[in-house]
């Protein structure tokens, strides 16, 4: 299941760009305030025609960053509630302060990302913001030892011939962390359901290869 927590006060209607890419396994949680409660008829029509489930929560007023606190609290609640299943969580906001929240959960092997909207990042590299900087990726890539790498035969123990590709093997062997591998799969497939399914099947092998 994929959960999207929208900081509507921050992104407004722009945060819904690419919503047509979502499916029935996606849940959108819109966080808004008294100052940002207006939805255009065009946006409403666009939302209701999608398969994704929509929830909305109004944040209290009178306290600074009340929406951010509510979003962070509800995110933690949903992570704990779904700890028995494989879930992915996305914070839809331009607020870079949420990167610290992403890093906090990444250290606990929870799949959380901050994005600007639902659009595919290949269409516009500024659409999706990952907390892992390019330099950090390059550093991880250069330090992957042979013992942490997998072979095609090993991947085929977990994936079918139809699911396997040399690109998946390249991603698996290029990075030493689960978060980086998950990010790589997401960028490669641009399909959250497909990348999630591949990552889930490889979790045992990731552990065997000591991907942190």
């Amino acid at each position: 299941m994929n959960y999207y927590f929208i900081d509507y006060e921050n992104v407004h209607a722009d945060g819904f760009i690419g919503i047509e890419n979502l499916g029935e396994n996606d849940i959108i949680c819109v966080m808004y305030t008294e100052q940002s409660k207006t939805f255009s008829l065009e946006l409403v029509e666009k939302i209701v025609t999608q398969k994704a489930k929509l929830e909305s929560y109004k944040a209290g007023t009178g306290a600074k960053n009340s929406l951010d606190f509510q979003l962070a609290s509800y995110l933690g609640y949903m992570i704990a509630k779904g700890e028995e299943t494989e879930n992915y969580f996305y914070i839809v906001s331009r607020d870079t302060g949420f990167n610290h929240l992403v890093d906090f959960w990444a250290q606990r092997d929870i799949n959380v990302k901050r994005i600007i909207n639902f659009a595919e990042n290949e269409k516009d590299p500024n659409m999706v913001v990952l907390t892992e900087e390019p330099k950090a990726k390059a550093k991880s890539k250069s330090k992957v030892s042979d013992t942490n790498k997998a072979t095609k035969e090993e991947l085929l123990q977990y994936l079918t011939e139809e699911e396997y590709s040399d690109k998946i093997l390249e991603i698996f062997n290029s990075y030493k962390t689960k978060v980086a591998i998950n990010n790589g799969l997401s960028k490669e497939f641009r399909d959250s359901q497909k990348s999630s399914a591949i990552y889930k099947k490889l979790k045992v092998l990731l552990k065997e290869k000591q991907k942190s």
Side-chain angles (χ1 to χ4, degrees):
M1 193 73 71
N2 302 303
Y3 292 87
Y4 296 87
F5 300 86
I6 298 185
D7 178 1
Y8 190 69
E9 187 178 47
N10 179 274
V11 295
H12 300 286
D14 289 344
F16 289 87
I17 295 175
I19 191 176
E20 62 274 7
N21 296 326
L22 305 187
E24 57 186 12
N25 290 323
D26 298 310
I27 298 178
I28 302 172
C29 306
V30 181
M31 302 290 178
Y32 68 98
T33 63
E34 183 67 29
Q35 290 73 36
S36 61
K37 64 179 182 179
T38 304
F39 287 73
S40 68
L41 180 58
E42 181 181 4
L43 177 58
V44 171
E45 290 177 342
K46 189 174 184 179
I47 293 173
V48 299
T49 57
Q50 307 307 317
K51 295 180 180 180
K53 180 181 178 182
L54 177 68
E55 301 175 358
S56 61
Y57 302 94
K58 182 179 178 180
T61 57
K64 185 178 180 181
N65 299 325
S66 59
L67 187 150
D68 296 351
F69 294 140
Q70 180 171 298
L71 190 154
S73 178
Y74 192 56
L75 168 65
Y77 168 75
M78 295 305 295
I79 289 174
K81 183 177 179 181
E83 62 183 1
E84 299 299 324
T85 58
E86 185 73 15
N87 294 318
Y88 292 81
F89 304 91
Y90 301 85
I91 300 171
V92 184
S93 178
R94 294 187 181 87
D95 188 346
T96 57
F98 283 118
N99 288 354
H100 299 292
L101 189 60
V102 172
D103 293 338
F104 173 85
W105 287 113
Q107 293 170 12
R108 289 153 180 81
D109 200 25
I110 301 297
N111 303 296
V112 180
K113 294 181 184 178
R114 180 177 67 84
I115 60 177
I116 296 177
N117 53 41
F118 305 117
E120 296 174 354
N121 61 315
E122 291 299 325
K123 294 179 180 178
D124 184 343
N126 294 320
M127 291 298 183
V128 177
V129 182
L130 304 179
T131 59
E132 193 164 5
E133 298 296 333
K135 289 183 178 180
K137 288 183 178 180
K139 185 177 181 180
S140 296
K141 186 173 180 178
S142 64
K143 288 190 174 183
V144 176
S145 65
D146 291 339
T147 57
N148 296 124
K149 293 182 178 181
T151 64
K152 176 181 179 179
E153 289 70 25
E154 287 178 313
L155 258 65
L156 286 173
Q157 293 180 27
Y158 301 89
L159 305 177
T160 65
E161 290 281 357
E162 291 73 22
E163 292 172 326
Y164 173 83
S165 71
D166 289 338
K167 187 62 180 180
I168 295 176
L169 180 63
E170 178 185 343
I171 292 170
F172 190 98
N173 289 335
S174 294
Y175 305 111
K176 66 175 185 176
T177 69
K178 294 176 183 177
V179 172
I181 291 171
N182 184 38
N183 288 346
L185 292 172
S186 297
K187 292 183 67 175
E188 171 64 21
F189 293 108
R190 293 171 290 173
D191 181 331
S192 60
Q193 294 185 38
K194 185 173 182 179
S195 62
S196 297
I198 295 294
Y199 178 80
K200 185 175 181 179
K201 287 189 173 184
L202 294 177
K203 287 192 74 173
V204 174
L205 185 59
L206 287 166
K207 184 175 182 180
E208 290 180 356
K209 293 298 180 179
Q210 299 180 342
K211 303 286 186 177
S212 60

